[in-house]
Amino acid sequence: MIELTWRLENGMAHWPGMVPYNFTIVDRGMIPDGFYLELNNIYLAEHTGTHLDAPAHFIQGAWRLDQVPLQNLVGPGVVVDVRDKTRDNPDYEIGPQDFQDWEREHGRIPDGSVLMLRTGWGEWYWDQGETAYLGTDDGNTSLLHFPGLHPDGAQWLADNRKMHVIGIDTGSMDYGQSVQKMSHQILLPKRVVFIENVGHLDQLPITGSTVYAMPILIGEGSGGPARVFAIVDDRTSACSLTTSTVATVLLALSSAILYNMI
């Protein structure tokens, strides 16, 4: 099982203009009633850390987070690695040629897949700070620099492939200098959901996994933090638990944890 989510912590990178994540301890120790207790408060924006963009984030009248069907958030994992293009170009935009090159080597991107775009920026999420990851730490969006999906690439996917989820290891699906966010404008109306700030893509195989993107179920939300993970296909495994069984257990545990944090 592969973790694809960044841990929420104080001081983590956040989008300029949005409130930073804040975790405060309410209780952590013995209380007067005679037993040990831990309670915490969290304060965060919808689009914090590893999170989902629902179509309503940019499209009026489209699905909000609580309207996205659960089955749309699971699919075969596909990783398109463009680190060789982004290494010397922080403003690189992933285009049709990148997808066509990938398919020549690996075959057609499957319908219903969870397409992960690996730019290499995720390696900077914690290690080198907010300036390295976003291009700025002073709240000025004109200084944002990181790779993203080119509108032509978004249009090619919309016209030629059928998928429910696209993820990227940067702060936004559109590259940092984008003003109109055209890749959002092209794909979100197609009921494609985005995952941004995906973590640990270095651990995900190019193919041969099933990816789950499970957000907090925020009523009327335009997005929300998510637990994203993958289960690698392994027919030789001696494990008797099926993928669906493991996912069900994890979802139940996550729900219980979230309920008890409130």
Side-chain angles (χ1 to χ4, degrees), residues 1-16:
M1 195 172 296
I2 300 171
E3 179 67 78
L4 299 173
T5 310
W6 290 114
R7 186 175 61 250
L8 295 174
E9 288 188 4
N10 289 343
M12 66 191 298
H14 67 283
W15 194 261

Side-chain angles (χ1 to χ4, degrees), residues 117-255:
L117 306 179
R118 185 183 179 192
T119 70
W121 246 242
E123 299 166 13
W124 296 0
Y125 191 78
W126 280 112
D127 293 345
Q128 299 189 38
E130 193 166 83
T131 299
Y133 185 66
L134 293 175
T136 180
D137 64 356
D138 69 357
N140 185 348
T141 56
S142 69
L143 298 177
L144 293 172
H145 287 280
F146 51 80
L149 176 61
H150 194 286
D152 290 348
Q155 193 64 59
W156 187 87
L157 291 172
D159 292 342
N160 297 285
R161 298 295 177 265
K162 296 179 181 179
M163 59 193 59
H164 300 307
V165 182
I166 304 175
I168 194 167
D169 60 350
T170 68
S172 175
M173 190 60 64
D174 285 277
Y175 86 125
Q177 287 290 290
S178 174
V179 175
Q180 295 298 319
K181 313 298 182 190
M182 288 307 301
S183 290
H184 284 76
Q185 304 276 7
I186 291 166
L187 284 166
L188 293 182
K190 303 292 185 181
R191 293 184 167 178
V192 176
V193 173
F194 292 161
I195 316 171
E196 296 169 338
N197 298 321
V198 177
H200 314 296
L201 282 180
D202 58 311
Q203 299 179 30
L204 189 65
I206 293 172
T207 60
S209 71
T210 301
V211 176
Y212 297 78
M214 301 291 121
I216 298 174
L217 195 59
I218 300 174
E220 299 192 7
S222 71
R227 188 68 180 270
V228 183
F229 61 93
I231 298 176
V232 177
D233 302 338
D234 185 1
R235 296 182 181 180
T236 64
S237 173
C239 179
S240 61
L241 288 177
T242 65
T243 295
S244 59
T245 301
V246 173
T248 300
V249 171
L250 283 172
L251 286 171
L253 287 172
S254 297
S255 298

Side-chain angles (χ1 to χ4, degrees), residues 53-66:
D53 283 2
H57 187 33
F58 277 81
I59 308 301
Q60 185 176 12
W63 280 344
R64 294 193 171 101
L65 188 63
D66 56 333

